[in-house]
Structure formats: C-alpha cells, structure tokens
Amino acid sequence: MFEKLRNSKLMFWSFELLILATLILVSSKINFIFEPIGTFFSTLFAPVLIAGFLYYILNPIVKLLMRTKIKRTWAVVLVLLMLLTAIIWILLSVIPNLVQQISSLASNMPDFIKQVESWLREMAELPIFKEVNISKYLDQLDISYGRIIQQFLSGISSSLGSIVGTIASATIVIVTAPFILFYMLKDGEKLVPNIERFFPEKRRSQIVELLGQLNQTLANYISGQAIECLFVGTFTFLGYFILGIDYAFLFGVIAGLTNLIPYLGPYLGLAPAFLVTVFNEPFKALLCCIVVLVVQQLDGNIIYPNVIGKSLKIHPLTIIIVLLVAGNIAGLLGIFLGVPFYAICKTIISYVIKIVKEDQRNESTKKIATTP
C-alpha cells in the first residue's frame, strides 16, 4: 500500500505544493535579502525601458545607413546625433508652443468652469431634473476657481518630497538612458549569440528562433505604435486647426499620446477638445468628433494594417481585459505596457507548446521506428 501511495500522482503533487509553500514562506521571512535586488531593477527599469523603446525605432535607420557601407559604430553615432537634433528642435519649438497653449488654457479655466456651472444650472431648470435638485449639489461641491487653486497648491506642498524624488529619478534616467541606448544600438546584434551559449546545443536553434519571434513582435509593435501616434497626432491637429479649434496643437499632442492605449485611446484623446468646445460652441464639438472619426478610420484601414498588421493576433476582448487588469495592477504604466507584455508572454507560451508537441511527435516516431 505504501508503495502505491509513494508512486501515486496525489502524493507527488502534494509534495510539490508543500515544497512550493515552504519556499514562499521562507522567502517572505528573508525578504530583506531581496530588497537590494528589487532596488537595482527598479532603478534600471525606466532608463532601460526608454532606451529599448528608442532602440526599436532607431535600429532600422542604423541598418539602412550600414547598407551604404558605413560601419555600425559610425552609423550609431550619426543616428544619435539626429536624435539629439530632433530633441533640441522639440525643446526649442514644440515645447514652447505646448507651454503657451497650456498656460492659455489655464488662464481661461475660470471662464470655462463658469460656463459648465451655468450649463448645469440651466439643466437643473428642466422638468426632468427638477426632483434631482442639481443646484444643491453644485453648492455643496464648491467648484469655484479659487477653491480648485487652493486644493492644487496644498497638494503640491504636501507632496514636495515626492516631487524632489521624481526630479532626481528623472535626472538619473536622462543621464543613463543615452549610454544604454548607444550600447544597445552598437552591440545589440551580439545579444542572441551570447544568450544562445547558455542553452543545450540541441535547443539552440529553437532558442534563436524564439528570440527572433520576440524581437519581431516588439519591433512591429513599438515602431508601428510610434508611426501611428505621429499620424494620429498630426492629422488630428490639422483637422482642429482647419476648424479653428482653440488649443489645436495641445489637443493634437494629447490625441497622439492617448492613441498608445488600444481602443480606449481615441475617446480619451477626444475628451479635452470636446469638453472645451461643447458648452460654448456645440457645433464645433460635433466637428471635433467628426475629425477624430475620420482620422481613426484612416488609421484603422490604412496605417494599422500596413504598419502593424496582424502580427500581434490578439482579440479585441482580450485587449480590453488586459488593459483593465494591467491598469488595476500598475496604473497608467500598466495600461501602456500591458498589451506588449501580453504579446511577449503569448509568443513564448505558444512557442513552448509548439516545441513540446514537436518533441512528443518525434518520440512517437522513434518508438514506431524501433518497434519490431
């Protein structure tokens, strides 16, 4: 009986779960050992993430320059000089325009708040809203401009320490990210051969193929999203500018950035332009919706299929679930990184399943061949 119990699956999995629970318990008691490791990775996370994002955008340009017989190191230097020129141009022309429009929007915020309050009080006079007593709730909210400024300033003063920490972290990222990016572009091609050496010889070709699929997945997604955001931001700005929408450049930039969020991004990008215009010029708010609809149709039917295509092969419902879960776990960062992280995990799991099935098929073939 003991022999049967020892060989049973129940006993095997009971011991496995017991060992796993013991490891978790011991790890929770000695978590101080892992804190330096966590600090190390959290410090490098932001610069490596930024450098990795720029790597997938700039690496095709490096390869293009190398086709003209330029050595890789010099191609990397030229690309980084172009990137530096683009950053200087953004700092000298784009950022001042954004700051000016944000300042203008902030200075006009009291009038905007009054318009919203006036509109809500007019709505309160309608028979359908009589019993709700909206005016009472408005008085309780105290949405005066002075009250909002007071809350904003008190929030800044209470979080002054975190602001200083954020500035220090940003400085570290600004200093370290360019160096990481340089070596990624210069020695990125050596990564796969170095990883390949750590695996058994019979698995090396499969590991190389898997890493190639992961690289292609990330390259398609990141470079495609960059092109998409640039297209959506530019054409949304042009549409708003032609219609005479105030703060067109600011709203175009917001539309481009929010386009990084699948499915929900277009609505989030439309919201600021719609809210600023709907209470004063409802017809312009409708035109803003039409502009966003036209841009999204062009993006969905021309840009996305040709730039990203079906490489990710993720169902829309899955993307929405991933966004909800990732946003709940990691906030805004989770919303932006949830889909590519899911795509990477899906690629790895799918390839591992494929390898296991191939191994099982090969074993079956060997058994049939050796059977007399």
Side-chain angles (χ1 to χ4, degrees):
M1 181 178 177
F2 178 75
E3 187 68 23
K4 289 182 180 179
L5 188 61
R6 189 179 67 178
N7 295 328
S8 68
K9 289 185 177 181
L10 177 62
M11 179 64 71
F12 172 78
W13 286 110
S14 297
F15 274 115
E16 290 288 323
L17 291 174
L18 182 61
I19 292 169
L20 180 62
T22 305
L23 286 173
I24 293 172
L25 179 62
V26 172
S27 299
S28 65
K29 298 298 182 182
I30 58 171
N31 59 350
F32 62 91
I33 296 176
F34 302 104
E35 283 182 6
I37 300 173
T39 303
F40 174 78
F41 282 106
S42 63
T43 303
L44 287 178
F45 178 76
V48 169
L49 181 67
I50 294 171
F53 178 80
L54 292 174
Y55 167 81
Y56 280 105
I57 294 175
L58 300 177
N59 195 46
I61 304 175
V62 172
K63 290 182 177 178
L64 186 64
L65 290 174
M66 289 175 65
R67 291 177 186 172
T68 61
K69 306 301 180 181
I70 299 176
K71 290 185 178 180
R72 187 174 186 88
T73 302
W74 289 110
V76 170
V77 171
L78 286 173
V79 167
L80 290 179
L81 286 175
M82 287 190 285
L83 177 63
L84 180 62
T85 304
I87 291 172
I88 292 172
W89 175 76
I90 290 171
L91 291 175
L92 294 179
S93 60
V94 176
I95 299 298
N97 286 332
L98 279 177
V99 171
Q100 187 270 329
Q101 294 206 356
I102 292 172
S103 301
S104 177
L105 180 62
S107 63
N108 291 326
M109 194 59 69
D111 295 333
F112 173 70
I113 291 173
K114 287 179 182 177
Q115 288 175 359
V116 174
E117 188 175 357
S118 175
W119 181 80
L120 289 173
R121 292 189 186 279
E122 288 177 6
M123 292 289 292
E125 298 299 323
L126 296 175
I128 192 172
F129 294 113
K130 280 287 186 182
E131 296 181 1
V132 179
N133 197 1
I134 294 178
S135 299
K136 173 187 171 184
Y137 292 111
L138 287 174
D139 294 334
Q140 290 176 351
L141 282 174
D142 187 14
I143 57 173
S144 64
Y145 190 64
R147 175 70 174 171
I148 293 172
I149 291 292
Q150 181 184 358
Q151 290 179 347
F152 177 72
L153 292 176
S154 64
I156 289 178
S157 61
S158 63
S159 59
L160 190 60
S162 62
I163 293 173
V164 173
T166 302
I167 294 172
S169 300
T171 305
I172 293 172
V173 170
I174 292 169
V175 171
T176 56
F179 290 98
I180 296 173
L181 176 60
F182 173 78
Y183 286 106
M184 277 185 172
L185 291 170
K186 180 177 175 291
D187 300 325
E189 302 295 326
K190 300 176 184 177
L191 179 63
V192 173
N194 288 330
I195 293 176
E196 184 185 355
R197 292 183 303 169
F198 293 99
F199 290 90
E201 192 170 345
K202 67 175 183 178
R203 295 291 185 190
R204 286 180 182 177
S205 60
Q206 295 171 333
I207 295 300
V208 170
E209 185 181 355
L210 173 59
L211 292 174
Q213 289 185 10
L214 290 176
N215 181 63
Q216 192 62 41
T217 299
L218 284 173
N220 288 343
Y221 184 80
I222 293 175
S223 59
Q225 286 292 342
I227 294 171
E228 269 202 298
C229 290
L230 184 61
F231 172 84
V232 170
T234 301
F235 282 88
T236 302
F237 158 66
L238 290 175
Y240 289 166
F241 181 76
I242 292 170
L243 295 175
I245 304 296
D246 294 332
Y247 321 112
F249 184 66
L250 173 62
F251 295 150
V253 171
I254 293 172
L257 292 175
T258 55
N259 198 68
L260 285 167
I261 305 173
Y263 297 101
L264 303 177
Y267 305 105
L268 297 175
L270 171 64
F274 182 82
L275 291 174
V276 167
T277 54
V278 69
F279 299 106
N280 192 28
E281 298 175 287
F283 183 67
K284 279 193 175 182
L286 178 62
L287 293 177
C288 287
C289 296
I290 294 173
V291 166
V292 171
L293 179 64
V294 171
V295 171
Q296 289 299 320
Q297 286 298 312
L298 291 172
D299 175 54
N301 293 300
I302 298 175
I303 304 299
Y304 187 90
N306 292 302
V307 175
I308 298 180
K310 302 294 183 181
S311 58
L312 297 183
K313 297 178 182 177
I314 302 176
H315 193 276
L317 180 60
T318 304
I319 290 180
I320 292 172
I321 293 172
V322 168
L323 290 176
L324 290 173
V325 174
N328 190 39
I329 293 173
L332 187 61
L333 187 66
I335 292 175
F336 285 119
L337 299 182
V339 173
F341 180 75
Y342 174 82
I344 290 171
C345 293
K346 181 185 175 186
T347 302
I348 294 172
I349 293 170
S350 299
Y351 194 79
V352 169
I353 292 172
K354 175 187 170 185
I355 291 175
V356 171
K357 287 182 178 179
E358 286 181 356
D359 289 347
Q360 290 175 347
R361 201 178 303 118
N362 292 336
E363 287 292 329
S364 300
T365 305
K366 286 180 181 178
K367 286 181 180 179
I368 294 172
T370 55
T371 301

mmCIF file of all heavy atoms in Angstrom, residues 235-245 248 284 287 291:
data_model
loop_
_atom_site.group_PDB
_atom_site.id
_atom_site.type_symbol
_atom_site.label_atom_id
_atom_site.label_comp_id
_atom_site.label_asym_id
_atom_site.label_seq_id
_atom_site.Cartn_x
_atom_site.Cartn_y
_atom_site.Cartn_z
ATOM 1 N N PHE A 235 -2.550 64.610 -37.863
ATOM 2 C CA PHE A 235 -3.772 64.855 -38.628
ATOM 3 C C PHE A 235 -4.923 65.326 -37.749
ATOM 4 O O PHE A 235 -5.812 66.046 -38.217
ATOM 5 C CB PHE A 235 -4.152 63.605 -39.429
ATOM 6 C CG PHE A 235 -3.332 63.435 -40.672
ATOM 7 C CD1 PHE A 235 -2.137 62.751 -40.642
ATOM 8 C CD2 PHE A 235 -3.733 64.006 -41.871
ATOM 9 C CE1 PHE A 235 -1.360 62.613 -41.777
ATOM 10 C CE2 PHE A 235 -2.982 63.879 -43.018
ATOM 11 C CZ PHE A 235 -1.778 63.180 -42.975
ATOM 12 N N THR A 236 -4.926 64.929 -36.475
ATOM 13 C CA THR A 236 -5.918 65.487 -35.550
ATOM 14 C C THR A 236 -5.661 66.979 -35.347
ATOM 15 O O THR A 236 -6.593 67.791 -35.356
ATOM 16 C CB THR A 236 -5.880 64.749 -34.203
ATOM 17 O OG1 THR A 236 -6.110 63.362 -34.409
ATOM 18 C CG2 THR A 236 -6.954 65.283 -33.261
ATOM 19 N N PHE A 237 -4.393 67.352 -35.166
ATOM 20 C CA PHE A 237 -4.032 68.775 -35.044
ATOM 21 C C PHE A 237 -4.443 69.551 -36.287
ATOM 22 O O PHE A 237 -5.023 70.645 -36.189
ATOM 23 C CB PHE A 237 -2.527 68.908 -34.801
ATOM 24 C CG PHE A 237 -1.966 70.245 -35.183
ATOM 25 C CD1 PHE A 237 -2.334 71.396 -34.487
ATOM 26 C CD2 PHE A 237 -1.091 70.366 -36.255
ATOM 27 C CE1 PHE A 237 -1.822 72.637 -34.852
ATOM 28 C CE2 PHE A 237 -0.580 71.598 -36.623
ATOM 29 C CZ PHE A 237 -0.947 72.739 -35.919
ATOM 30 N N LEU A 238 -4.146 69.007 -37.489
ATOM 31 C CA LEU A 238 -4.506 69.715 -38.731
ATOM 32 C C LEU A 238 -6.016 69.887 -38.848
ATOM 33 O O LEU A 238 -6.495 70.943 -39.265
ATOM 34 C CB LEU A 238 -3.960 68.939 -39.941
ATOM 35 C CG LEU A 238 -2.433 68.940 -40.114
ATOM 36 C CD1 LEU A 238 -2.025 68.044 -41.269
ATOM 37 C CD2 LEU A 238 -1.931 70.366 -40.339
ATOM 38 N N GLY A 239 -6.758 68.819 -38.476
ATOM 39 C CA GLY A 239 -8.219 68.924 -38.529
ATOM 40 C C GLY A 239 -8.754 69.989 -37.584
ATOM 41 O O GLY A 239 -9.594 70.818 -37.961
ATOM 42 N N TYR A 240 -8.264 69.997 -36.343
ATOM 43 C CA TYR A 240 -8.685 71.011 -35.377
ATOM 44 C C TYR A 240 -8.276 72.412 -35.835
ATOM 45 O O TYR A 240 -9.027 73.381 -35.668
ATOM 46 C CB TYR A 240 -8.059 70.722 -34.005
ATOM 47 C CG TYR A 240 -8.623 69.509 -33.291
ATOM 48 C CD1 TYR A 240 -7.963 68.954 -32.183
ATOM 49 C CD2 TYR A 240 -9.814 68.904 -33.695
ATOM 50 C CE1 TYR A 240 -8.474 67.856 -31.513
ATOM 51 C CE2 TYR A 240 -10.317 67.803 -33.034
ATOM 52 C CZ TYR A 240 -9.641 67.280 -31.938
ATOM 53 O OH TYR A 240 -10.150 66.197 -31.283
ATOM 54 N N PHE A 241 -7.067 72.522 -36.391
ATOM 55 C CA PHE A 241 -6.557 73.826 -36.833
ATOM 56 C C PHE A 241 -7.412 74.392 -37.966
ATOM 57 O O PHE A 241 -7.739 75.589 -37.981
ATOM 58 C CB PHE A 241 -5.102 73.686 -37.290
ATOM 59 C CG PHE A 241 -4.471 74.963 -37.735
ATOM 60 C CD1 PHE A 241 -4.056 75.908 -36.803
ATOM 61 C CD2 PHE A 241 -4.297 75.244 -39.091
ATOM 62 C CE1 PHE A 241 -3.484 77.104 -37.208
ATOM 63 C CE2 PHE A 241 -3.731 76.431 -39.502
ATOM 64 C CZ PHE A 241 -3.321 77.367 -38.562
ATOM 65 N N ILE A 242 -7.789 73.538 -38.918
ATOM 66 C CA ILE A 242 -8.635 73.987 -40.037
ATOM 67 C C ILE A 242 -9.998 74.440 -39.533
ATOM 68 O O ILE A 242 -10.578 75.412 -40.035
ATOM 69 C CB ILE A 242 -8.773 72.851 -41.079
ATOM 70 C CG1 ILE A 242 -7.426 72.603 -41.762
ATOM 71 C CG2 ILE A 242 -9.841 73.181 -42.109
ATOM 72 C CD1 ILE A 242 -7.389 71.354 -42.624
ATOM 73 N N LEU A 243 -10.516 73.743 -38.525
ATOM 74 C CA LEU A 243 -11.836 74.102 -37.969
ATOM 75 C C LEU A 243 -11.774 75.309 -37.050
ATOM 76 O O LEU A 243 -12.826 75.826 -36.640
ATOM 77 C CB LEU A 243 -12.410 72.917 -37.191
ATOM 78 C CG LEU A 243 -12.754 71.662 -38.004
ATOM 79 C CD1 LEU A 243 -13.197 70.538 -37.078
ATOM 80 C CD2 LEU A 243 -13.831 71.974 -39.032
ATOM 81 N N GLY A 244 -10.556 75.760 -36.706
ATOM 82 C CA GLY A 244 -10.420 76.914 -35.813
ATOM 83 C C GLY A 244 -10.645 76.577 -34.355
ATOM 84 O O GLY A 244 -11.083 77.442 -33.578
ATOM 85 N N ILE A 245 -10.342 75.340 -33.960
ATOM 86 C CA ILE A 245 -10.497 74.934 -32.560
ATOM 87 C C ILE A 245 -9.357 75.537 -31.736
ATOM 88 O O ILE A 245 -8.191 75.480 -32.142
ATOM 89 C CB ILE A 245 -10.467 73.394 -32.427
ATOM 90 C CG1 ILE A 245 -11.540 72.754 -33.325
ATOM 91 C CG2 ILE A 245 -10.658 72.971 -30.974
ATOM 92 C CD1 ILE A 245 -12.953 73.096 -32.971
ATOM 93 N N ALA A 248 -5.509 73.804 -30.602
ATOM 94 C CA ALA A 248 -5.483 72.680 -31.548
ATOM 95 C C ALA A 248 -4.198 71.863 -31.399
ATOM 96 O O ALA A 248 -4.231 70.623 -31.439
ATOM 97 C CB ALA A 248 -5.629 73.195 -32.979
ATOM 98 N N LYS A 284 -19.013 73.034 -33.027
ATOM 99 C CA LYS A 284 -17.583 72.725 -33.144
ATOM 100 C C LYS A 284 -17.237 71.429 -32.416
ATOM 101 O O LYS A 284 -16.359 70.676 -32.846
ATOM 102 C CB LYS A 284 -16.742 73.877 -32.598
ATOM 103 C CG LYS A 284 -16.558 75.025 -33.574
ATOM 104 C CD LYS A 284 -15.473 75.978 -33.109
ATOM 105 C CE LYS A 284 -15.212 77.048 -34.160
ATOM 106 N NZ LYS A 284 -14.121 77.976 -33.767
ATOM 107 N N LEU A 287 -18.012 68.793 -34.765
ATOM 108 C CA LEU A 287 -16.978 68.723 -35.802
ATOM 109 C C LEU A 287 -15.710 68.037 -35.280
ATOM 110 O O LEU A 287 -15.025 67.325 -36.020
ATOM 111 C CB LEU A 287 -16.654 70.133 -36.313
ATOM 112 C CG LEU A 287 -17.768 70.841 -37.092
ATOM 113 C CD1 LEU A 287 -17.336 72.252 -37.467
ATOM 114 C CD2 LEU A 287 -18.143 70.049 -38.352
ATOM 115 N N VAL A 291 -13.794 64.887 -36.956
ATOM 116 C CA VAL A 291 -12.352 64.858 -37.253
ATOM 117 C C VAL A 291 -11.723 63.588 -36.692
ATOM 118 O O VAL A 291 -10.976 62.873 -37.378
ATOM 119 C CB VAL A 291 -11.652 66.115 -36.682
ATOM 120 C CG1 VAL A 291 -10.131 65.923 -36.680
ATOM 121 C CG2 VAL A 291 -12.014 67.343 -37.480
#
